[in-house]
Amino acid sequence: MADVIMKHSKAVIALWLVVLVCALPFGIKSGDVLEYDMNSMSGSSTEASDGQAIIDEHFSNSIDLSEILVISYSSSEELAAAQAIFVEFQNLMDDKYGAKTTVSNYGTYSKGDPNVEGILMIAIANNEGESWDISHETDNIRDLVKEAKSNASAAYPEAAGLTTYVTGNDAITYDTENSSMEDVSKVDPLSILLIFVLLGLFFYAVVTAVVPPAVVGMAYGIALAAVYAIGCLMGVYYITQTLILVSMLGAGCDYAIFIITRYRDERKKGLSHEDALKTAIMWGGEAVFTSGISVIIGFAALALCDFAMVRTMGIILAIGIAIALVAALTFIPSLLNLVKDKIFWPSNIESYKRVEDKVQNGGKLGVHGHLSKGSKRYFAWLSRNTHKHSKLIAIALVVLCIPGLYIFAESEDSADMISVMPDSESVDGLDLIMTQTDGGTIMPTYIVLEMNESIATVGSLSYGGMSIPYVIWNEHGLDPATMTGAVPTVMKMTKDIDAEYEIVGSISGLNSWQIMYMTVESALGTTDASRINQVLYEQMPSAVKGYVGMILAIASEQDLTHIDPTAFDKPWNSYVVYDVVSGYSLTVANIIDGILNVGTGILSDDGQYVSVMVITTDKPMSADTMDFLAELRSDLHDGEESYDSVYHNIWSASYVAGSSASIDDMSKDIEDQFSMIRIVVAILLIVLLFFILGSYLTPIRSIITILLSVFLTVALTHVVFEGLMDTPVLFLIPIVLFVVLLGLGMDYEIFMTTKIRENKIKGMNNDEAIDNAIKEAGPVISLCALLMGGTFLTLVLANSSMLKELGFALGMGILIDGLLMVGYVSPALMHLMGDWSWKGPGFLTRRHGLNPDGSNMAVPAACGAAPADAERIGGEMPVRAVPATPEEVAKYKQECYSEVAVRQDRIAALNAEVKTLTDNKRIGRLDEEGEKELEAKRSELKAEKESLREFQRKSREDLRSGKGQ
């Protein structure tokens, strides 16, 4: 790979730029395919989705509360002004949208006297369905509200000062979309600035600070095209676009930095540009590739989830990381090959060497020198203390994890999507509604009943351009003689539910004028029809009273604006209205039953389904509402005493639907599926690390430390948001955290572990390999953790509490893993494990120069390893007698390993030179001088290998013979 990139660097860069140019037109349109309503992202068959599908298909007159105008008033005069605003607004909407919308008075609501204080709710219905997105008209509708207030204030001066909000599901979607765009515009520059500052301080270079985020930006532009392509096939939840940018910035910069840093370090050691770049690609590239694959596995596992929101999130994040990974492995080395040391401008390799010399030998230090000195001191201290206090660190980890695990196990995650919505007019309007009426008013829960057969004939009358429904019950719906059938059964069920649960504010099920008339007649103890009719009319819901009054006016020839229910001296079923279209002889009672049942979306158009609307006193998706849903479902479905069992002769199936039920189903199903996904991810990562590292225990140890990071982070998130900010932690947070941290957090484990293994391969023993890795890889790993953790933490500045929680959890999780676990815990545990860290099957360990027991194959198994700073023994080191004291024996072993490591590096460099010359010869680029150089290099390589084998043989003989003792 190194040779290909170095030969074709310009072609690699050109190819990336061509792909970017082709992807940009599609990436720019990626925002058009984003979804902002989680309910539309289920993609899985659940009880709630099945019930909602029935409502969508069979209920044409269900109440549409997607856009609602809420007007607050605090006096009778202000109520009159609010009514005037409604009239003006209705006229303005008709002028602008015509038949596309219907604006209707949804009634006044108040927890006190509605004539003194409360809210007027005005429903704005979308008559075009999915063919027209009314949410994009929200700003225009709000402008019309302002104009209506201005117009109404001419006759009602109070109108100008009334508080109004446009809210509802579509308005919330619109505000969430705008808030998301604001968050991106605020978070992205801050993330890039943070990366630029940290890289600038680390490399003390402008170009190096710009290159990684610029390359990731190029990869992100290509990834957006993938977002658009996938979004055209399935919905993409809006948070995904923010997460993909932040995760690509974090991971992509990590990968680029790791390769650039390795190149710089090899150049500082004196290697040529070509050799340094090859070493960076070979060793750094392997670590980066392994890390990237682990992240992709973690994200791709989300695709196993049935829910489209989670599935597309996993697919897109995995694609984004894959693009960033390939860019780091190809574009970055190609750029390095072309610009060479200029990538460190205004610094250079010589200036880096001078700084290190001053740090080691004394001299005047600048900013870079002080940072370098502080870094070296810290990581030298860290290497000593993780070794010296490894047992204490392990004990401290256990002590720290006990409360964290307790909080993790005991805390409950929330499905309350409303509480994590970004601040906006629609959310303020929602809060206002919940202060004046029941919390579930605009997001009701529905009990959908599938009848064994149709219970009524349903039709409609045309009057004044309006379609007015009517219902004629059949014997399955209502038997007048026995008062049996679906209507009284459903009415009994709704009455029982209302009586059983305090959280039920109101429940609207099937209603029949005949049953209501008999009930009022019995309650009043009178047969006076005019008195009974008056009470019935007063009991009508405000949302339907106007329609009922209109029918009464038509039947009795009264003035439509002054209905007098007492004028009816006979029951309403005695007043007949003839429908010339159907030929049916209809009474006022039939039409009232149609308005009460079909007009309010309780009875389907074919009479086959019933939708009982339950409005809870608590807000939708709250913990109490979710507990109620669980109990309601149990009452409906579970056991022989359930409603489904007792009334199986009336209905064949029942469903609990609505926004709260959808989120409840989604959260529970996702939790259930993630029990399996967690196991799959953990197993796949263990298998990957097993084959990459050739170790039995190290992959398991790595997974355990990551899991502990997850537990601690979830506990900390609950403490901060629930304990300090009184904001529930959304159920998605632990799930996303697990997958992201198991992937991205594994980066640092792999960077550290592969560096330790590299040291082992080069001849060090386990402890020295760990200490050297902490000193050399520790600074860049810490930098990467600060970059990625800081990038995620910028999300806490977002308006959405969901993004705040995600940003905090992911940022703190990365910092805990990269700085605490990888910095302290993993090295301490590997010190304690010793060579057990590297024990594995021979066919894998031998590929890396290790024996199955974890010892190094290059020198005698009895030898220890030389520390990284052991004095070099140049040339043919004399094999002196092994002294008798343990200290002198240990020193001899160190010298052995130091010399072997030097010779192995020399052989590796010669191998690379021979391969390059051989490749040039194969394609005809080698002249006569080159042929001679190739033969000389081959001879030199052969001699080096023979010399190494002889040195190893003599070392073994001396150790076995105990020469000199």
Side-chain angles (χ1 to χ4, degrees):
M1 179 177 175
D3 291 334
V4 172
I5 290 174
M6 295 179 72
K7 289 177 183 176
H8 307 290
S9 297
K10 293 181 180 179
V12 170
I13 291 176
L15 179 61
W16 272 104
L17 295 178
V18 169
V19 173
L20 176 63
V21 170
C22 295
L24 279 179
F26 301 99
I28 292 172
K29 297 191 292 184
S30 61
D32 299 340
V33 298
L34 299 180
E35 295 283 352
Y36 295 86
D37 182 5
M38 189 181 288
N39 290 325
S40 66
M41 296 292 297
S42 64
S44 177
S45 179
T46 63
E47 179 179 338
S49 64
D50 292 344
Q52 189 62 48
I54 291 173
I55 293 175
D56 293 341
E57 182 178 355
H58 297 281
F59 291 81
S60 61
N61 292 314
S62 58
I63 298 174
D64 185 352
L65 297 177
S66 56
E67 293 261 356
I68 301 171
L69 170 59
V70 186
I71 307 175
S72 177
Y73 62 90
S74 56
S75 66
S76 57
E77 291 79 12
E78 289 187 354
L79 174 58
Q83 298 285 4
I85 292 174
F86 160 62
V87 174
E88 292 290 341
F89 177 69
Q90 190 176 42
N91 293 332
L92 291 171
M93 288 290 291
D94 286 343
D95 291 341
K96 183 172 182 64
Y97 298 109
K100 284 186 174 182
T101 62
T102 299
V103 178
S104 55
N105 189 332
Y106 195 57
T108 57
Y109 295 85
S110 174
K111 290 191 175 179
D113 185 350
N115 293 315
V116 176
E117 181 182 11
I119 55 173
L120 174 65
M121 290 175 59
I122 299 166
I124 307 166
N126 176 10
N127 298 330
E128 300 293 313
E130 294 183 359
S131 63
W132 184 55
D133 189 356
I134 193 175
S135 69
H136 288 164
E137 298 296 319
T138 301
D139 257 353
N140 293 330
I141 292 173
R142 286 170 176 161
D143 289 340
L144 293 181
V145 171
K146 294 176 183 177
E147 187 176 347
K149 289 172 65 176
S150 177
N151 294 345
S153 64
Y156 298 88
E158 297 88 349
L162 294 183
T163 301
T164 59
Y165 300 103
V166 175
T167 184
N169 289 336
D170 283 344
I172 289 173
T173 297
Y174 175 81
D175 287 339
T176 302
E177 180 178 355
N178 282 347
S179 177
S180 172
M181 295 172 65
E182 291 176 8
D183 288 341
V184 169
S185 64
K186 180 168 53 179
V187 168
D188 290 358
L190 185 60
S191 299
I192 294 171
L193 177 63
L194 175 66
I195 292 172
F196 182 81
V197 170
L198 289 175
L199 288 180
L201 291 174
F202 184 79
F203 288 102
Y204 212 64
V206 175
V207 175
T208 323
V210 171
V211 167
V215 173
V216 173
M218 175 193 68
Y220 177 65
I222 296 171
L224 286 182
V227 172
Y228 177 76
I230 294 173
C232 291
L233 301 175
M234 58 185 80
V236 176
Y237 197 46
Y238 78 98
I239 281 181
T240 304
Q241 190 173 35
T242 304
L243 284 178
I244 190 176
L245 174 61
V246 176
S247 61
M248 287 182 70
L249 270 175
C253 287
D254 282 1
Y255 302 151
I257 291 164
F258 204 77
I259 291 175
I260 293 173
T261 303
R262 187 58 188 264
Y263 170 78
R264 184 194 66 175
D265 291 346
E266 297 303 325
R267 291 283 288 127
K268 284 161 60 177
K269 291 177 183 178
L271 291 185
S272 66
H273 162 72
E274 291 77 11
D275 291 340
L277 185 55
K278 286 180 181 179
T279 302
I281 295 172
M282 182 174 66
W283 291 106
E286 181 191 23
V288 166
F289 178 77
T290 305
S291 300
I293 294 298
S294 70
V295 177
I296 293 170
I297 287 174
F299 284 150
L302 292 173
L304 299 175
C305 185
D306 289 339
F307 284 86
M309 181 193 73
V310 179
R311 183 169 62 249
T312 55
M313 183 185 295
I315 293 172
I316 289 172
L317 288 175
I319 291 174
I321 295 298
I323 295 172
L325 174 64
V326 176
L329 291 174
T330 59
F331 193 97
I332 292 294
S334 298
L335 187 64
L336 278 170
N337 191 40
L338 294 178
V339 302
K340 299 182 174 61
D341 296 344
K342 293 185 181 67
I343 199 168
F344 303 114
W345 185 88
S347 295
N348 53 52
I349 299 301
E350 293 304 318
S351 67
Y352 290 138
K353 289 180 179 180
R354 286 195 298 271
V355 169
E356 287 204 356
D357 182 65
K358 290 179 181 179
V359 169
Q360 292 178 359
N361 303 316
K364 188 176 180 180
L365 300 176
V367 175
H368 190 206
H370 284 292
L371 291 173
S372 178
K373 184 176 181 180
S375 173
K376 286 183 179 296
R377 283 184 175 180
Y378 171 74
F379 287 102
W381 172 88
L382 188 62
S383 67
R384 291 193 306 271
N385 284 278
T386 52
H387 189 175
K388 182 178 179 181
H389 303 295
S390 56
K391 292 181 180 179
L392 183 61
I393 291 173
I395 294 171
L397 175 66
V398 173
V399 172
L400 181 63
C401 285
I402 289 175
L405 289 172
Y406 175 80
I407 296 173
F408 177 86
E410 292 297 316
S411 59
E412 292 187 7
D413 302 321
S414 172
D416 188 354
M417 300 299 299
I418 295 176
S419 65
V420 296
M421 288 178 180
D423 295 334
S424 62
E425 177 179 333
S426 57
V427 173
D428 291 340
L430 192 62
D431 291 339
L432 175 61
I433 291 172
M434 289 188 289
T435 62
Q436 291 295 339
T437 184
D438 293 326
T441 298
I442 69 168
M443 291 185 185
T445 295
Y446 299 96
I447 303 172
V448 181
L449 304 174
E450 184 176 352
M451 298 297 166
N452 290 327
E453 51 190 307
S454 178
I455 62 175
T457 297
V458 178
S460 62
L461 290 169
S462 296
Y463 176 79
M466 293 188 300
S467 179
I468 304 174
Y470 65 81
V471 166
I472 302 175
W473 303 111
N474 59 32
E475 60 182 4
H476 304 294
L478 177 63
D479 187 338
T482 60
M483 283 297 169
T484 58
V487 176
T489 299
V490 174
M491 291 181 75
K492 181 180 184 307
M493 181 189 73
T494 56
K495 183 178 179 182
D496 291 344
I497 292 173
D498 192 18
E500 181 179 356
Y501 297 102
E502 291 184 5
I503 197 173
V504 175
S506 63
I507 182 168
S508 304
L510 286 175
N511 282 290
S512 165
W513 171 88
Q514 191 163 6
I515 294 178
M516 291 189 297
Y517 189 91
M518 292 178 60
T519 302
V520 173
E521 182 181 44
S522 175
L524 295 177
T526 180
T527 58
D528 183 357
S530 61
R531 174 64 178 146
I532 297 171
N533 289 336
Q534 180 184 17
V535 173
L536 280 177
Y537 182 77
E538 291 174 352
Q539 289 181 349
M540 295 285 177
S542 60
V544 300
K545 188 179 289 186
Y547 293 100
V548 172
M550 181 180 66
I551 296 302
L552 294 176
I554 295 170
S556 61
E557 299 182 352
Q558 292 187 47
D559 184 350
L560 183 61
T561 60
H562 298 88
I563 302 299
D564 181 11
T566 63
F568 297 87
D569 54 2
K570 293 184 294 186
W572 289 341
N573 63 349
S574 301
Y575 294 87
V576 177
V577 178
Y578 291 95
D579 178 15
V580 296
V581 177
S582 67
Y584 285 116
S585 178
L586 304 173
T587 68
V588 171
N590 294 133
I591 298 173
I592 290 175
D593 284 350
I595 294 171
L596 290 175
N597 295 282
V598 179
T600 56
I602 294 173
L603 182 65
S604 65
D605 297 337
D606 56 5
Q608 186 72 45
Y609 299 92
V610 172
S611 176
V612 177
M613 184 169 67
V614 183
I615 295 177
T616 57
T617 55
D618 208 355
K619 65 179 182 179
M621 305 172 203
S622 68
D624 289 342
T625 298
M626 294 309 195
D627 290 342
F628 161 67
L629 291 180
E631 294 178 19
L632 178 61
R633 282 174 166 161
S634 179
D635 289 345
L636 283 169
H637 310 315
D638 299 341
E640 295 180 357
E641 300 299 320
S642 66
Y643 290 116
D644 286 350
S645 297
V646 173
Y647 300 124
H648 67 276
N649 61 319
I650 302 294
W651 61 76
S652 58
S654 64
Y655 311 86
V656 177
S659 296
S660 296
S662 295
I663 297 298
D664 187 47
D665 282 346
M666 183 182 297
S667 65
K668 289 177 179 177
D669 281 8
I670 289 176
E671 285 284 359
D672 291 342
Q673 291 177 28
F674 263 83
S675 298
M676 177 268 294
I677 291 175
R678 289 184 181 100
I679 295 173
V680 170
V681 173
I683 291 175
L684 288 176
L685 288 178
I686 288 173
V687 171
L688 171 69
L689 295 180
F690 171 72
F691 283 103
I692 294 294
L693 301 176
S695 168
Y696 293 125
L697 297 181
T698 296
I700 298 173
R701 194 268 311 151
S702 298
I703 294 295
I704 290 174
T705 54
I706 294 290
L707 291 179
L708 291 177
S709 300
V710 173
F711 296 148
L712 289 174
T713 304
V714 171
L716 183 61
T717 304
H718 276 281
V719 169
V720 170
F721 283 89
E722 284 187 351
L724 301 180
M725 300 175 62
D726 196 27
T727 302
V729 176
L730 197 65
F731 72 94
L732 283 174
I733 304 303
I735 292 171
V736 174
L737 176 65
F738 176 88
V739 173
V740 172
L741 202 56
L742 207 59
L744 293 178
M746 187 62 72
D747 278 357
Y748 312 121
E749 282 285 344
I750 291 173
F751 289 164
M752 180 63 76
T753 305
T754 52
K755 180 60 178 177
I756 296 171
R757 189 198 61 188
E758 178 187 341
N759 291 339
K760 282 280 291 181
I761 293 170
K762 290 182 175 179
M764 299 182 192
N765 69 18
N766 189 64
D767 286 345
E768 275 72 35
I770 294 171
D771 293 345
N772 175 262
I774 292 174
K775 293 174 184 177
E776 291 197 358
V780 70
I781 290 174
S782 297
L783 170 69
C784 290
L786 289 172
L787 281 174
M788 190 181 297
T791 301
F792 277 120
L793 283 174
T794 59
L795 292 177
V796 301
L797 300 176
N799 293 322
S800 167
S801 292
M802 184 191 301
L803 282 177
K804 289 179 188 289
E805 291 179 359
L806 277 172
F808 178 83
L810 294 173
M812 292 305 300
I814 292 295
L815 293 177
I816 289 173
D817 183 65
L819 301 181
L820 177 64
M821 291 298 177
V822 176
Y824 290 83
V825 175
S826 294
L829 293 178
M830 294 186 77
H831 275 301
L832 293 174
M833 292 167 64
D835 280 342
W836 280 92
S837 295
W838 307 107
K839 289 186 177 181
F843 76 95
L844 289 177
T845 60
R846 292 190 186 96
R847 288 174 52 196
H848 304 304
L850 301 176
N851 293 308
D853 64 357
S855 61
N856 196 286
M857 294 174 61
V859 293
C863 280
D869 55 354
E871 185 180 352
R872 271 192 59 175
I873 311 295
E876 293 292 332
M877 186 185 73
V879 182
R880 58 184 175 78
V882 181
T885 65
E887 291 78 9
E888 292 176 335
V889 170
K891 184 178 179 181
Y892 178 81
K893 293 176 182 179
Q894 291 173 356
E895 291 172 348
C896 290
Y897 269 113
S898 179
E899 179 64 18
V900 167
V902 170
R903 292 171 183 252
Q904 285 180 329
D905 284 343
R906 194 181 304 146
I907 290 172
L910 285 170
N911 262 322
E913 292 183 53
V914 168
K915 186 177 185 308
T916 301
L917 291 169
T918 303
D919 290 342
N920 287 335
K921 179 180 179 181
R922 188 175 61 251
I923 60 177
R925 291 184 177 178
L926 211 62
D927 55 15
E928 185 176 346
E929 290 297 323
E931 292 277 4
K932 293 178 181 179
E933 184 182 1
L934 175 58
E935 290 304 318
K937 291 292 182 183
R938 283 174 173 171
S939 299
E940 186 180 354
L941 176 61
K942 182 178 179 181
E944 284 288 349
K945 289 181 177 179
E946 290 176 353
S947 176
L948 175 60
R949 285 194 291 270
E950 179 62 20
F951 175 77
Q952 291 170 336
R953 185 188 64 78
K954 289 181 179 180
S955 299
R956 293 189 186 97
E957 286 180 357
D958 287 347
L959 287 172
R960 281 196 296 268
S961 65
K963 186 175 179 181
Q965 297 184 26

